[in-house]
Amino acid sequence: MTDALRFVDIAKEHLDDVIRVRSRSFGPLAAANREEWIKDAQEFIDDGRYVGVAAGDEVVAAARIWAFEQWWGGRKVPMAGIASVVVSPEYRGRGVGSKLMRGVLARSIEKGLPITALYPATTVIYRHLGYEFGGGRYRFTFPAADLRSLGGKDVSIRRAGAADAGRLLELVAQSNSAALVNGPLVWAESKVAEWLGDEDNFGYLADDGFVVYNWDDGDLCVDEIIAGSEATARALWATVGSGSSIATNVKAYVVPNDPVHLLVDREADKQAQIQRWMLRMLDAPAAISGRGFTPGASLEVDLELEDAEVAGNNGRWHLSVAKGSGALTASTGSGDALRLGARGLAALYAGTPLASLRKAGLASGGSTGADGAIDSAFAGGTSYMLDFF
Ligand SMILES: CC(C)(COP(=O)(O)OP(=O)(O)OC[C@H]1O[C@@H](n2cnc3c(N)ncnc32)[C@H](O)[C@@H]1OP(=O)(O)O)[C@@H](O)C(=O)NCCC(=O)NCCS
C-alpha cells in the first residue's frame, strides 16, 4: 500500500485532499473558516513551504513549514516551524509520517533554515528524527485584582493598532537582545499588524513597552507584554488588571522568570500551563554562528556529532566560543571528543545541562571536567515561546 508513495509539493488542486486528511486528524474545519484556511494555505504553497506525500494522484499526508526567526542568546536565528502535520488514518503507522517529515527536513534545509522547531502532539516520531525538547510555552494565572493595584499611574499609555506593528517589533528586539533571550518567535511585520488590527485584541503602548490582551472564557489573557522599566511594567499590568470588576483572573503567556512574578504580592495560581516544543539542528555550523552565547564564556572543545537524518551535521567538529559568539569548524583532532546525537545537540543548544544529557544517554565521551564550561556557554534564561503555531 505504501510502495508507490512519493513526496510532493502541495498545490492548490490538492487542498480538498488536504482538508479531508486534516478533518480526520484535528476535527472538522467549519465551513465559515474554509476560505480563510485556503488563503493561509496559499501563502505556504506560493513559497514552496507546503509539502506532502501522495499515493497516485491523491495527497495522503501534508505539513506546513513556517519561515520564522527565533531568538537564541539574544540573536535572531532563521527557524523552520513545522505545523499541521497530518497523515490519513488508513496510512498511519506505516512510515508515511516519517517519510513526510524527512521531506520536511530536506525542504527546510533547501530554504536555508539552520534550525527547526515544532509543538509535538506525539513525541515519538519527532524523536526518531532527531528532535528533542527545547523549551516551553508557559501560561500563568493571576488574580486580576492583584494586578489592578500595581500602580504606574504616572506612565502615559495609549491604544495601539495595526500601524504600531513596526514599533512593537522594535521594542521586542531591544528587550530580547538586551536580555539575551532564548526561544521566542519573530513574526513578520504584516502578521503583527493583523494581530494588532484584530478588534478582539486590545493593545496599549508606552514609550518603552506594550501589552496586547484579549478576553478568554470570561477571563482576560495577556498574549504579550514587554516593559523597559519597572514603572511601565506596573502601568501595563495595572491596565489589564483594571478589568477586575468583571474578570476574576488574568491569564498571561509569560516566562517563569518574568518580572511580574516579583511585582505581585501573591504567587500565580499553582495550576500553571506548559506546552513543550521540540528543537532540531538542520545546519549545525550555521546554527552555532547565528546565535549569541553567554558573553563571558570562553570555550575550545571538540565534538563528535552523529546525525542519522542530516548528513551535513555528521563528523568531528571544533566548537569555539568567545565574546558572545560561537563557531563550529571541521576538526582534525583525534582525542576523546564529547559525543552527541541530533537530540543531544538540540537539547544542549536549548540550554539543557550536560549532566542531564549524559544521564539520559544523549551525550557521552569527552571530559566531564569540561561540562561546566560548555553548560555556561549555552546557558541563559529559560527558553520559551509565547505563541502556538
Ligand atoms: C502523528 C502522525 C503524523 C504520525 O504519522 P504516521 O504515519 O503514523 O507515523 P510513522 O508510521 O512514520 O511512525 C513513526 C514513529 O512514530 C510512532 N507513532 C506514530 N504515531 C504515534 C502516536 N500517536 N503515539 C505514539 N507513537 C506514535 C510510530 O509507532 C513510529 O515509531 P516506531 O518506529 O518506534 O514504531 C499521524 O498519526 C497523524 O496524522 N496523527 C493525527 C494528527 C497529529 O497528531 N499530527 C501531529 C501534529 S504534531
Side-chain angles (χ1 to χ4, degrees):
M1 183 175 179
T2 52
D3 288 352
L5 296 177
R6 58 188 210 289
F7 182 74
V8 293
D9 273 285
I10 298 295
K12 197 169 183 161
E13 57 270 24
H14 296 135
L15 291 183
D16 283 345
D17 286 350
V18 176
I19 289 174
R20 191 166 49 238
V21 182
R22 190 205 161 281
S23 300
R24 283 160 172 72
S25 300
F26 296 142
L29 178 65
N33 297 335
R34 197 179 166 99
E35 205 176 310
E36 185 72 19
W37 187 91
I38 290 175
K39 192 170 138 253
D40 285 348
Q42 194 63 45
E43 282 183 34
F44 289 89
I45 291 174
D46 289 345
D47 194 36
R49 289 185 282 104
Y50 211 154
V51 295
V53 170
D57 290 337
E58 189 188 339
V59 167
V60 298
R64 294 178 175 189
I65 305 169
W66 284 92
F68 285 125
E69 289 176 305
Q70 190 180 24
W71 292 94
W72 284 104
R75 294 193 198 158
K76 293 188 267 187
V77 183
M79 181 270 266
I82 313 309
S84 307
V85 178
V86 289
V87 173
S88 201
E90 70 275 30
Y91 283 90
R92 289 181 193 156
R94 296 166 161 84
V96 176
S98 304
K99 183 182 178 74
L100 170 69
M101 281 302 300
R102 290 197 170 96
V104 163
L105 298 181
R107 177 59 54 87
S108 303
I109 292 169
E110 276 165 44
K111 290 278 173 195
L113 302 164
I115 61 176
T116 167
L118 54 80
Y119 283 94
T122 162
T123 49
V124 180
I125 174 171
Y126 304 116
R127 281 214 163 117
H128 281 357
L129 294 165
Y131 284 83
E132 194 41 76
F133 287 134
R137 181 185 192 219
Y138 297 85
R139 196 186 71 189
F140 293 93
T141 302
F142 301 94
D146 288 8
L147 301 173
R148 179 184 162 272
S149 52
L150 281 180
K153 288 181 184 161
D154 294 337
V155 176
S156 66
I157 56 172
R158 66 166 175 85
R159 272 204 322 271
D164 297 307
R167 179 61 186 146
L168 257 67
L169 283 169
E170 267 172 31
L171 286 166
V172 172
Q174 278 165 15
S175 176
N176 286 359
S177 58
L180 306 181
V181 150
N182 293 318
L185 301 176
V186 185
W187 292 86
E189 188 170 333
S190 58
K191 296 281 176 207
V192 177
E194 259 176 52
W195 175 57
L196 288 170
D198 183 335
E199 61 183 24
D200 291 336
N201 291 329
F202 316 126
Y204 286 93
L205 192 60
D207 281 348
D208 62 344
F210 69 87
V211 64
V212 180
Y213 67 103
N214 40 54
W215 287 104
D216 183 272
D217 224 3
D219 288 335
L220 291 168
C221 181
V222 171
D223 278 355
E224 184 162 13
I225 184 163
I226 291 279
S229 58
E230 179 193 343
T232 298
R234 289 184 179 278
L236 295 174
W237 283 110
T239 302
V240 182
S242 72
S244 67
S245 54
I246 304 295
T248 310
N249 292 310
V250 173
K251 298 168 185 160
Y253 290 101
V254 287
V255 74
N257 53 3
D258 188 278
V260 68
H261 299 285
L262 311 176
L263 290 173
V264 283
D265 281 341
R266 286 183 288 171
E267 68 175 317
D269 189 287
K270 293 188 172 54
Q271 306 302 317
Q273 185 192 79
I274 168 170
Q275 281 170 289
R276 303 197 80 179
W277 44 270
M278 301 178 94
L279 182 71
R280 193 200 202 290
M281 304 294 106
L282 294 172
D283 177 343
I288 293 291
S289 62
R291 64 168 291 165
F293 286 86
T294 308
S298 160
L299 205 58
E300 298 294 340
V301 65
D302 267 14
L303 306 180
E304 185 77 43
L305 300 184
E306 210 176 301
D307 190 328
E309 302 295 337
V310 178
N313 287 344
N314 276 317
R316 187 165 177 125
W317 300 92
H318 185 73
L319 171 63
S320 311
V321 173
K323 298 193 179 114
S325 294
L328 196 64
T329 48
S331 167
T332 49
S334 56
D336 184 24
L338 174 64
R339 286 191 293 281
L340 297 164
R343 290 172 57 201
L345 178 64
L348 177 66
Y349 193 91
T352 312
L354 274 166
S356 301
L357 297 181
R358 288 183 187 278
K359 284 178 194 160
L362 298 185
S364 62
S367 154
T368 50
D371 285 2
I374 300 172
D375 287 345
S376 318
F378 284 92
T382 307
S383 74
Y384 67 100
M385 284 190 199
L386 300 175
D387 316 274
F388 189 81
F389 60 86

